[in-house]
Amino acid sequence: MRKLLPILALFILSGFAYGSACNLASGSGIACVQMNVVAGASPGNLAFGSSNTAGNEIIAIVRCTGGNTATPTDTRNTYSTAIANQQIGPGTSRISIYYAENIGAGANTVASVCTTGSLKLAIFEFSGLRTTGSLDKTHGAAGTGTAVASGATTTTAQSVELAIGGNSWGNVTDTPGAGSGWTLEETAQASSNSMEIEDQILTSTGTPNATFAAVTNAAGWGAEIATFEANTSGGVVRHRAQVINQ
């Protein structure tokens, strides 16, 4: 689990936001440029630490307590739904994945709101993905227990894709780590639940499953996965290492 450094904390709408570099190693023309996460009150506004680069893609994972999520908005981009309102355990809380393709350049703040309850929001900027039609496969699952997984997608359309998985877990006594082959990007904890985000770069077609490391204490959970196709047009892929507030 990433250690959240106190010096990165900003109090935003009764929640803590942390700007950070990504953990995912770049590969096959895909890179995670930067990310940020907030856990707190709804609605929430969350800024990227550095300006976005034109043509990149934003992926947002939203978790709402006791109700549905809503499509995010930001300074200049339009968001589409990858997978919406996956149930978490037996209750009414939900987790969703949204994305904005071919984004504009400049400073950017993403806003999201829950129909009820508190909000957890994670935002990522990726380079190297298709600027249109990037979303390929999705899957979601819910349950109660100590093992968490989104379930496998159908076979991916091309060999090189980004896979991102989100999970919400119904306690903070212990939280799932990344599954085998996955990179844990962030854990957002607040109140009696947490949200974990993991990703990986796929290099062959298959049926990926966002698995998370098993924990000791059983709880209700909901997990989902979305895959996004790499830009295979043969053009130059822009990506950069981003270190924020370190």
Side-chain angles (χ1 to χ4, degrees):
M1 182 187 304
R2 176 191 295 270
K3 183 177 180 182
L4 300 179
L5 301 177
I7 61 172
L8 302 179
L10 297 173
F11 227 165
I12 297 182
L13 296 177
S14 302
F16 282 106
Y18 306 87
S20 182
C22 304
N23 289 327
L24 181 69
S26 304
S28 300
I30 296 174
C32 183
V33 177
Q34 58 177 322
M35 60 161 292
N36 205 351
V37 62
V38 67
S42 174
N45 297 322
L46 185 59
F48 282 103
S50 293
S51 294
N52 293 149
T53 298
N56 284 351
E57 184 158 330
I58 294 172
I59 299 177
I61 296 90
V62 184
R63 194 264 190 210
C64 288
T65 299
N68 289 342
T69 67
T71 304
T73 59
D74 74 16
T75 308
R76 63 182 56 80
N77 304 296
T78 300
Y79 287 78
S80 300
T81 301
I83 180 169
N85 293 313
Q86 171 61 51
Q87 183 175 353
I88 300 169
T92 56
S93 297
R94 299 290 186 265
I95 185 170
S96 303
I97 300 176
Y98 302 95
Y99 64 103
E101 298 174 319
N102 196 22
I103 61 174
N108 191 16
T109 296
V110 180
S112 189
V113 63
C114 297
T115 56
T116 183
S118 62
L119 168 77
K120 292 179 177 67
L121 171 64
I123 55 175
F124 298 82
E125 180 183 357
F126 287 95
S127 65
L129 302 179
R130 292 184 58 175
T131 55
T132 60
S134 63
L135 179 66
D136 184 18
K137 299 293 188 286
T138 65
H139 201 277
T144 300
T146 59
V148 180
S150 68
T153 70
T154 56
T155 303
T156 51
Q158 64 181 42
S159 56
V160 179
E161 298 194 12
L162 169 74
I164 189 162
N167 158 58
S168 185
W169 182 252
N171 70 51
V172 291
T173 303
D174 50 11
T175 54
S180 177
W182 291 84
T183 297
L184 184 67
E185 289 291 1
E186 197 62 271
T187 295
Q189 292 181 324
S191 183
S192 60
N193 59 73
S194 66
M195 182 176 75
E196 293 79 39
I197 310 299
E198 63 183 13
D199 51 15
Q200 68 169 296
I201 297 171
L202 308 175
T203 56
S204 61
T205 57
T207 57
N209 182 4
T211 59
F212 294 81
V215 296
T216 302
N217 300 293
W221 56 267
E224 54 192 5
I225 182 175
T227 74
F228 298 86
E229 297 180 15
N231 184 351
T232 57
S233 64
V236 176
V237 176
R238 297 184 299 270
H239 60 276
R240 55 193 167 92
Q242 183 69 46
V243 180
I244 302 169
N245 295 334
Q246 287 189 337

